Amino acid sequence: MCTFQPPTARLCCRRVSHALFSGEEELTVHDETTCYLTQSCKTYLVYVRKVIFYQYFSSCISSPHSQFRPRFIGNFVKMPVLCSSCTEKRAVLKRPKTGHSLCKGCFFWAFEEEVHQTIVAAKLFKPGEIVGIAASGGKDSTVLAHVMKLLNERYNYGLELMLLSVDEGITGYRDDSLETVKRNQQQYELPLKIVSYEELYGWTMDAIVKQVGLKNNCTFCGVFRRQALDRGAIMLKVDKICTGHNADDVAETVLMNVLRGDIARLRRCTAISTASEGEGVVPRCKPLKYAYEKEIVLYAYFKKLDYFSTECIYSPNAYRGYARTFLKDLESVRPSSIIDIIHSGENLSVREGVKMPVQGTCNRCGYISSQALCKSCVLLEGLNRGLPKLGIGKHHRLHDKILSQQPLTEKEERKLKSVDF
């Protein structure tokens, strides 16, 4: 045994010795071996451990690499965890999806490669296509724009990328997030197109909320935004739209459709690419379909991406929030539950003979719809007539009256005017 050690090593030895003999303590070493020592463990084994720890920590202290030095929290000795991929650098995170401890470089590579494999396996793009990236300024769309530009250059996809944003007209939220989108447009040097509800429908979300209240406002916003994306894509003449839907979003949608008993949407909500038919509709895809929301946040954080993180001021009462809370509870118990729910939705099959809605086109605007009028036209008609509940719930029998511009009865108007704020 060495007769002389540097002061730091002697201090390390004293702390380890103190931990060995001062009651019940836990020591975690480099190989994640854990030993529990009690007051009565004054045996030969304790002295052997003392020598082993003394020599081990002495070598660590004298190591020129500071990342391998132990950290002390009281009597607790905590050794840094190495990256499970390269086994050279210190791990900075534990992946929620796989549980692997990775350094920054390995995490970036793993995340980007998984997105690349998703794109290649699903054959989402073809060389020469013009792809519009739905950009809201949030973490998902910002990471999507960054990764798509990176992979397009790294693997030579041959795509022409553009940014497409929708201005819903929410004061204090969307105007700030659009400033982030404009900065991203300069950072990534991509063309940007912004379409607004006021321009397309003559309404802003602020005006809609004043009329319909906070209970069903997300229904209006979601329907209008989907159609606005298609209209903006037609203006840009893009071949496909990329959205930032992640694994958490898809799993939440599966749960929502199960709770609502919506078999038609349940069948198609897990599709990574929606090949829409009909004029005025652009196919959409989800390159981040299998990426966990937590990992997207970590990627944006460690990459120091510029994104907007404030929640929509009108969304706390959204129905999706209940599914999200339930999913987070499941994830805390079993992290793989998110992917498991997605796979369950993908493998779902409907029994033969079950009547399913037939997709057609709207008689007024020509947009895809399974009814005579699409949801957007019904919602707009309700807003313009001062009947906010016209598009909420099932009022298909009134579509013929709306198309023929017939007046509604007093009873029908009274029922459709009542709003629960």
Side-chain angles (χ1 to χ4, degrees):
M1 184 182 297
C2 298
T3 57
F4 174 79
Q5 293 292 342
T8 53
R10 291 202 302 271
L11 176 62
C12 176
C13 179
R14 286 199 299 272
R15 290 199 179 188
V16 173
S17 300
H18 179 69
L20 285 168
F21 295 102
S22 61
E24 188 169 339
E25 297 289 340
E26 178 180 318
L27 295 179
T28 304
V29 295
H30 171 66
D31 60 355
E32 298 184 356
T33 303
T34 304
C35 58
Y36 295 88
L37 307 175
T38 60
Q39 187 68 29
S40 60
C41 288
K42 296 181 180 180
T43 60
Y44 177 73
L45 180 60
V46 173
Y47 291 99
V48 171
R49 286 175 179 169
K50 176 181 176 182
V51 173
I52 293 175
F53 278 117
Y54 181 89
Q55 294 178 342
Y56 177 74
F57 286 121
S58 296
S59 62
C60 288
I61 290 295
S62 59
S63 173
H65 303 288
S66 60
Q67 61 179 344
F68 298 118
R69 294 178 183 174
R71 293 185 295 112
F72 298 97
I73 306 176
N75 292 331
F76 182 75
V77 184
K78 180 69 175 179
M79 290 301 297
V81 179
L82 293 181
C83 174
S84 59
S85 179
C86 66
T87 66
E88 295 178 357
K89 296 181 180 179
R90 182 173 180 173
V92 296
L93 59 91
K94 184 176 182 180
R95 293 192 68 183
K97 185 176 182 179
T98 62
H100 295 158
S101 300
L102 299 177
C103 62
K104 283 185 183 180
C106 291
F107 171 65
F108 294 155
W109 182 261
F111 184 87
E112 293 159 4
E113 283 301 301
E114 287 180 3
V115 176
H116 170 64
Q117 292 301 323
T118 300
I119 293 173
V120 172
K123 300 179 181 179
L124 296 183
F125 309 113
K126 296 178 182 178
E129 285 185 332
I130 303 175
V131 178
I133 300 174
S136 64
K139 62 183 185 311
D140 298 321
S141 62
T142 302
V143 169
L144 176 63
H146 176 84
V147 172
M148 283 298 299
K149 179 176 174 60
L150 182 70
L151 296 179
N152 188 39
E153 296 173 352
R154 179 185 296 173
Y155 295 104
N156 193 23
Y157 289 163
L159 304 177
E160 183 180 349
L161 302 178
M162 297 182 176
L163 297 179
L164 175 60
S165 295
V166 178
D167 182 6
E168 297 94 343
I170 304 176
T171 305
Y173 170 71
R174 183 54 70 201
D175 46 359
D176 293 336
S177 67
L178 286 177
E179 293 300 320
T180 304
V181 175
K182 293 175 183 177
R183 292 195 299 270
N184 291 337
Q185 185 260 335
Q186 296 175 353
Q187 293 163 0
Y188 303 135
E189 299 179 346
L190 299 175
L192 171 63
K193 174 66 178 178
I194 300 176
V195 294
S196 67
Y197 282 7
E198 189 171 16
E199 172 190 347
L200 298 175
Y201 309 114
W203 289 81
T204 64
M205 275 308 299
D206 289 337
I208 292 173
V209 170
K210 287 181 181 178
Q211 184 165 350
V212 306
L214 292 171
K215 190 172 182 180
N216 297 301
N217 57 291
C218 288
T219 300
F220 288 81
C221 190
V223 172
F224 289 162
R225 185 169 58 247
R226 282 192 293 271
Q227 193 174 113
L229 278 175
D230 283 324
R231 293 191 180 185
I234 293 173
M235 295 177 188
L236 287 175
K237 298 180 180 180
V238 301
D239 299 307
K240 286 181 181 176
I241 301 175
C242 274
T243 60
H245 291 94
N246 55 48
D248 296 57
D249 296 329
V250 178
E252 289 166 11
T253 305
V254 172
L255 292 176
M256 290 170 61
N257 290 327
V258 169
L259 294 174
R260 289 188 298 214
D262 195 335
I263 298 297
R265 287 192 176 94
L266 188 57
R267 287 184 62 188
R268 61 177 184 264
C269 69
T270 56
I272 193 171
S273 179
T274 55
S276 302
E277 299 177 358
E279 297 181 1
V281 180
V282 181
R284 302 184 186 187
C285 58
K286 311 180 189 106
L288 301 181
K289 177 185 174 182
Y290 298 109
Y292 275 33
E293 184 179 40
K294 289 181 179 178
E295 296 196 355
I296 291 175
V297 173
L298 290 171
Y299 186 89
Y301 172 76
F302 286 115
K303 280 284 186 179
K304 294 181 171 57
L305 301 182
D306 184 7
Y307 67 94
F308 186 75
S309 58
T310 303
E311 185 181 8
C312 176
I313 58 177
Y314 297 140
S315 67
N317 296 324
Y319 183 62
R320 179 177 289 271
Y322 299 101
R324 181 180 294 116
T325 301
F326 177 61
L327 184 65
K328 294 304 178 187
D329 292 339
L330 287 177
E331 185 186 10
S332 63
V333 177
R334 182 179 177 181
S336 64
S337 59
I338 294 177
I339 292 295
D340 294 340
I341 291 174
I342 294 176
H343 290 330
S344 298
E346 291 173 339
N347 296 323
L348 178 70
S349 60
V350 181
R351 186 180 58 191
E352 293 184 4
V354 176
K355 187 178 180 180
M356 302 294 291
V358 179
Q359 191 177 83
T361 57
C362 175
N363 294 337
R364 176 175 291 182
C365 68
Y367 195 72
I368 56 172
S369 174
S370 58
Q371 305 294 331
L373 287 176
C374 68
K375 192 71 171 178
S376 179
C377 286
V378 176
L379 292 173
L380 273 177
E381 187 71 21
L383 290 173
N384 294 330
R385 288 195 181 193
L387 306 173
K389 278 195 172 181
L390 182 61
I392 307 298
K394 298 181 179 180
H395 302 291
H396 305 317
R397 58 187 178 82
L398 300 178
H399 289 186
D400 292 336
K401 284 189 175 183
I402 296 173
L403 281 172
S404 59
Q405 297 295 324
Q406 296 179 14
L408 302 179
T409 64
E410 184 179 348
K411 181 179 179 181
E412 290 172 341
E413 287 194 3
R414 186 169 59 252
K415 182 179 180 181
L416 295 175
K417 279 183 179 179
S418 59
V419 177
D420 298 327
F421 285 90

